[in-house]
């Protein structure tokens, strides 16, 4: 196995020496350590395969390798074969062949085969004359050309890979720093080679410790990047389901008031609001604030007060067990609490036009997908929708796109967009609003290439070239898992308080003598806040307010237990 000599450091440039003769290997490492050990890490190996294994591990950990020094005559894999294979992992590393006088012809040939930088004759004594001058020159050349290694998370994928896009969005929305590498670029291919992958399975997520996750789930990624996915306890005072503005507001107020609080989020805190490029009508931010900034601050605030936040955990079931309210996860595990606040928010309604489903993540995105906006630079972008989220995306994308076209089914934007945002859209010369227009088909092989549009007043259709389509069309509550437990309206939104009315009676009636609290659902001790509530305002400020108000009712409920 490869051996490290000198003090451990994963940030000092590495010099690798490979020789199958243990005594020679130790001698080379000794001379290298004596001259370069203070500023470099010396790694020695006694076979080409073991050295390649070490190089792959170092590549995945983001360690810089400056020089590869390999003996020519080695069994199983000779020095030239090793250096040729090493080029796929560390193409910038300087390559040196150690050879006997009889093999100088092979060394000269290797200059063309593996772009050899130099060869050294054995023995190299004295090193001050025959070894160090050569390496000094190579190290200087390497320092001038080698790019800095990246020590954050690396994501290797394809531009038009739906899952690659989802993983990038998951990391970005959870504010986990990462670096993106396309498989079409040299460094992306080098990382895949280090991970032992050929690019058929994407994405590959490489963590700072050198681990490689191939086609990982969000939960697998969350566990490896330090996001909490496992509850610390079995029972809480309050479970908040959903990490949008309403859920974060509930977590902040619940934890700050001494309740043992856990928030469960299936993707990333912030919800739909967290994807907004700029929110300008939220109280206290006259210059606006991005959804990601607002969500990040709220998350830190909740954690500061002691709330526990679980990420990438999907809730699939809910049961009432006496005074306990039990929540079931997709993996079958459960946690329980005295009270629950449902703040699951809504999802964007999906277009059912032919070709749309096949191209999701490959040019078609629901929501803003801010990680994809760099690729929109200089491109024609289409946006479906006429509410605030669509307007915010249009204004944001117009800064870099060649053009932005908003496709709106209605007569104008006034029915669903705030006045201040309409003014911004109308004043932006890069944005065009097409009313009475809908998408009836999407076309493309591995990514979006064209759209078929229809004028809803005349029925006329036209085909336009398009590589980017962002969809913001209405809201669908994700409440099917509550069927038969909590009363919902005809559209799936949760009824609460006085809105329960006859629907609550049809579901079996309110079981207590007291009337339900304002945000209390048909199940006592279970409250609802934010966009998932029937007839809610669908605004960030109102969602935060409902989250905090729900905690007030939680206290009233707990006082009666």
């Amino acid at each position: 196995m490869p051996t490290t000599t000198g003090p451990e450091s994963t940030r000092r440039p590495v010099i690798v020496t490979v020789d199958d003769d243990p005594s020679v290997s130790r001698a080379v490492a000794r001379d290298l350590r004596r001259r370069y050990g203070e500023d470099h890490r010396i790694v020695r190996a006694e076979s080409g395969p073991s050295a390649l294994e070490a190089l792959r591990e170092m590549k995945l950990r983001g360690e810089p390798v400056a020089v590869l020094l390999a003996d020519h005559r080695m069994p199983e894999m000779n020095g030239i074969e090793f250096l040729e294979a090493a080029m796929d992992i560390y193409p910038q590393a300087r390559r040196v062949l150690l050879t006997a006088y009889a093999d100088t012809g092979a060394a000269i040939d290797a200059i063309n085969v593996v772009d050899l930088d130099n060869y050294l004759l054995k023995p190299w004594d004295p090193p001050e004359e025959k070894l160090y001058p050569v390496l000094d020159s190579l190290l200087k050349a390497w320092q001038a050309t080698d790019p800095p290694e990246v020590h954050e998370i690396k994501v290797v994928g394809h531009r038009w890979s739906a899952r690659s896009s989802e993983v990038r969005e998951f990391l970005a929305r959870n504010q986990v720093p990462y670096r993106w590498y396309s498989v079409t670029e040299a460094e992306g291919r080098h990382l895949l080679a280090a991970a032992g992958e050929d690019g058929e399975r994407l994405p590959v997520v490489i963590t700072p410790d050198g681990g490689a996750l191939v086609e990982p789930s969000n939960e697998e990624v969350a566990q490896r990047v330090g996001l909490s996915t496992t509850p610390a306890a079995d029972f809480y005072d309050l479970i908040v389901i959903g990490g949008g503005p309403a859920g974060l507001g509930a977590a902040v107020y619940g934890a700050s008031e001494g309740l043992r609080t856990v928030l469960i989020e299936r993707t990333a805190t912030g919800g739909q609001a967290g994807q907004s490029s700029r929110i300008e009508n939220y109280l206290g931010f006259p210059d606006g604030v991005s959804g990601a900034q607002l969500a990040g601050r709220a998350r830190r605030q909740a954690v500061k007060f002691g709330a526990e936040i679980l990420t990438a955990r999907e809730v699939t079931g809910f049961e009432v067990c006496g005074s306990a309210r039990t929540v079931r996860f997709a993996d079958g595990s459960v946690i329980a609490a005295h009270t629950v606040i449902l703040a699951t928010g809504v999802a964007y309604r999906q277009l059912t036009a032919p070709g749309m489903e096949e191209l999701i993540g490959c040019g078609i995105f629901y929501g803003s997908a801010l990680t994809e906006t760099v690729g929109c630079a200089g491109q024609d972008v289409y946006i479906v929708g006429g509410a605030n989220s669509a307007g915010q995306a249009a204004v944001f994308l117009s800064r870099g796109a060649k053009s932005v076209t908003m496709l709106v089914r209605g007569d104008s934007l006034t029915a669903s967009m705030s006045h201040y945002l309409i003014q911004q859209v109308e004043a932006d010369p890069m944005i065009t609003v097409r009313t009475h227009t809908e998408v009836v088909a999407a076309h493309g092989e591995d990514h979006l290439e064209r759209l078929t549009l229809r004028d809803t007043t005349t029925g006329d259709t036209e085909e336009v070239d398009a590589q980017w389509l962002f969809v913001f069309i209405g809201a669908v509550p994700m409440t099917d898992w509550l069927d038969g437990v909590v009363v919902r309206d005809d559209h799936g939104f949760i009824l609460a308080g006085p809105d329960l009315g006859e629907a609550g009676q049809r579901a079996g009636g309110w079981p207590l003598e007291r009337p339900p609290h304002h945000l209390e659902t048909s199940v006592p001790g279970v409250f609802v806040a934010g966009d998932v509530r029937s007839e809610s305002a669908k605004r960030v400020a109102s969602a935060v307010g409902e989250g905090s108000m729900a905690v007030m009712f939680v206290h009233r409920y707990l006082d009666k237990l």
Side-chain angles (χ1 to χ4, degrees), residues 10-258:
T10 60
R11 297 298 175 252
R12 291 180 296 161
V14 178
I15 299 174
V16 177
T17 173
V18 191
D19 198 302
D20 65 307
D21 186 326
S23 62
V24 175
S25 177
R26 287 192 293 270
V28 175
R30 178 200 63 217
D31 289 343
L32 293 175
R33 184 173 63 250
R34 188 171 63 193
R35 173 77 170 216
Y36 306 105
E38 185 174 344
D39 299 318
H40 297 75
R41 193 161 72 92
I42 313 302
V43 173
R44 68 180 182 89
E46 295 182 1
S47 74
S50 65
L52 288 175
E53 179 185 352
L55 287 177
R56 293 189 186 100
E57 293 176 357
M58 287 185 282
K59 184 69 175 182
L60 295 178
R61 290 197 299 266
E63 296 187 52
V65 173
V67 176
L68 302 168
L69 193 66
D71 183 56
H72 176 52
R73 291 195 177 187
M74 292 188 295
E76 190 175 357
M77 175 182 283
N78 66 38
I80 295 175
E81 293 170 338
F82 162 73
L83 292 173
E84 187 175 12
M87 285 178 65
D88 291 334
I89 304 172
Y90 280 100
Q92 298 295 330
R94 294 317 192 242
R95 292 171 288 279
V96 181
L97 193 69
L98 276 177
T99 181
Y101 181 79
D103 296 321
T104 54
I108 294 172
D109 291 339
I111 292 175
N112 296 320
V113 175
V114 297
D115 195 18
L116 195 67
D117 292 289
N118 216 315
Y119 67 90
L120 296 171
L121 293 176
K122 296 190 294 185
W124 58 88
D125 289 329
E128 289 78 7
E129 295 180 12
K130 299 183 177 181
L131 177 63
Y132 299 154
V134 172
L135 290 186
D136 287 346
S137 176
L138 294 177
L139 287 170
K140 184 177 180 180
W142 174 82
Q143 290 170 350
T145 60
D146 192 69
E149 289 291 335
V150 178
H151 305 301
E152 57 199 9
I153 293 164
K154 305 179 183 74
V155 180
V156 185
H158 194 280
R159 176 186 180 185
W160 301 121
S161 160
R163 184 57 189 152
S164 295
S165 177
E166 290 170 0
V167 167
R168 293 172 66 193
E169 193 76 4
F170 175 79
L171 292 171
R173 291 185 60 194
N174 280 289
Q175 300 185 2
V176 177
Y178 74 93
R179 183 71 63 88
W180 164 255
Y181 296 89
S182 172
V183 294
T184 62
E185 299 171 352
E187 185 61 16
R189 293 192 294 271
H190 298 150
L191 288 168
L192 285 180
E197 291 294 321
D198 58 7
E200 290 296 319
R201 301 187 298 165
L202 295 173
V204 175
V205 178
I206 300 168
T207 54
D209 62 1
L213 306 175
V214 181
E215 294 182 314
S217 66
N218 284 353
E219 187 172 357
E220 289 174 319
V221 173
Q223 290 171 347
R224 292 296 294 274
V225 303
L227 298 173
S228 178
T229 60
T230 305
D234 296 326
F235 197 89
Y236 297 84
D237 294 319
L238 171 63
I239 295 174
V240 180
I241 305 176
L248 287 168
V252 167
Y253 281 92
S256 67
E257 295 173 11

Side-chain angles (χ1 to χ4, degrees), residues 171-432:
L171 292 171
R173 291 185 60 194
N174 280 289
Q175 300 185 2
V176 177
Y178 74 93
R179 183 71 63 88
W180 164 255
Y181 296 89
S182 172
V183 294
T184 62
E185 299 171 352
E187 185 61 16
R189 293 192 294 271
H190 298 150
L191 288 168
L192 285 180
E197 291 294 321
D198 58 7
E200 290 296 319
R201 301 187 298 165
L202 295 173
V204 175
V205 178
I206 300 168
T207 54
D209 62 1
L213 306 175
V214 181
E215 294 182 314
S217 66
N218 284 353
E219 187 172 357
E220 289 174 319
V221 173
Q223 290 171 347
R224 292 296 294 274
V225 303
L227 298 173
S228 178
T229 60
T230 305
D234 296 326
F235 197 89
Y236 297 84
D237 294 319
L238 171 63
I239 295 174
V240 180
I241 305 176
L248 287 168
V252 167
Y253 281 92
S256 67
E257 295 173 11
L259 298 177
R260 292 171 298 168
T261 303
V262 59
L263 182 150
I264 306 167
E265 169 54 47
R266 66 195 300 266
T267 305
T269 51
Q272 284 189 349
Q275 296 177 280
S276 296
S277 56
R278 183 148 301 269
I279 303 169
E280 297 190 68
N281 59 351
Y282 187 67
L283 185 67
F285 293 89
D287 297 321
V289 61
S290 74
Q293 289 174 324
L294 189 63
R297 293 175 181 179
R299 181 186 179 114
R300 292 195 300 273
Q301 198 171 12
V303 172
K304 167 189 170 183
F305 287 122
E308 186 181 338
I309 297 180
L310 305 182
T311 306
R313 295 302 302 270
E314 184 174 3
V315 176
T316 58
F318 175 75
E319 301 172 7
V320 177
C321 306
S323 63
R325 277 75 183 111
T326 301
V327 169
R328 186 174 302 279
F329 294 111
D331 63 1
S333 61
V334 299
I335 58 173
H338 291 302
T339 59
V340 173
I341 294 178
L342 301 172
T344 52
V346 293
Y348 288 112
R349 184 177 291 112
Q350 295 199 356
L351 288 173
T352 58
M356 290 290 297
E357 184 176 356
E358 295 83 355
L359 296 174
I360 294 175
C362 302
I364 296 178
F365 303 92
Y366 287 87
S368 58
L370 295 179
T371 56
E372 302 296 333
T373 55
V374 175
C376 296
Q379 303 283 322
D380 295 314
V381 178
Y382 288 81
I383 294 175
V384 178
N388 277 8
S389 54
Q392 290 164 352
V395 172
F396 178 74
L397 290 168
S398 69
R399 299 170 187 170
K402 179 181 177 182
S403 69
V404 176
T405 303
M406 298 185 67
L407 307 175
V408 183
R409 285 177 56 89
D411 298 327
S412 69
L413 299 174
T414 56
S416 54
M417 188 178 293
S418 297
H419 178 66
Y420 82 91
L421 199 50
I422 294 176
Q423 290 180 310
Q424 291 184 19
V425 169
E426 291 178 343
D428 195 324
M430 306 303 294
I431 301 176
T432 301

Side-chain angles (χ1 to χ4, degrees), residues 380-543:
D380 295 314
V381 178
Y382 288 81
I383 294 175
V384 178
N388 277 8
S389 54
Q392 290 164 352
V395 172
F396 178 74
L397 290 168
S398 69
R399 299 170 187 170
K402 179 181 177 182
S403 69
V404 176
T405 303
M406 298 185 67
L407 307 175
V408 183
R409 285 177 56 89
D411 298 327
S412 69
L413 299 174
T414 56
S416 54
M417 188 178 293
S418 297
H419 178 66
Y420 82 91
L421 199 50
I422 294 176
Q423 290 180 310
Q424 291 184 19
V425 169
E426 291 178 343
D428 195 324
M430 306 303 294
I431 301 176
T432 301
V433 179
R434 293 184 53 169
T435 57
H436 303 292
T437 305
E438 63 181 356
V439 176
V440 293
H443 314 276
E445 294 298 325
D446 58 347
H447 66 277
L448 178 65
E449 298 174 3
R450 300 177 310 282
L451 294 171
T452 300
L453 310 180
R454 181 170 61 196
D455 186 314
T456 59
T457 57
T458 65
D460 295 337
T461 62
E462 67 171 305
E463 198 168 281
V464 296
D465 292 333
Q467 285 190 317
W468 303 94
L469 177 69
F470 297 90
V471 183
F472 305 83
I473 53 165
V476 178
M478 297 178 288
T479 57
D480 289 346
W481 59 280
L482 291 168
D483 188 34
V485 181
V486 173
V487 176
R488 301 173 294 158
D489 66 17
D490 293 338
H491 301 288
F493 291 91
I494 298 171
L495 294 166
D499 292 334
L500 282 169
E502 294 182 2
Q505 294 299 322
R506 289 197 302 271
W510 175 250
L512 303 180
E513 293 184 5
R514 67 166 176 84
H517 295 300
H518 181 64
L519 296 177
E520 196 166 20
T521 71
S522 59
V523 178
V526 177
F527 303 85
V528 61
D531 290 0
V532 74
R533 183 178 66 84
S534 180
E535 302 298 328
S536 64
K538 307 295 188 292
R539 288 290 185 267
V540 175
S542 62

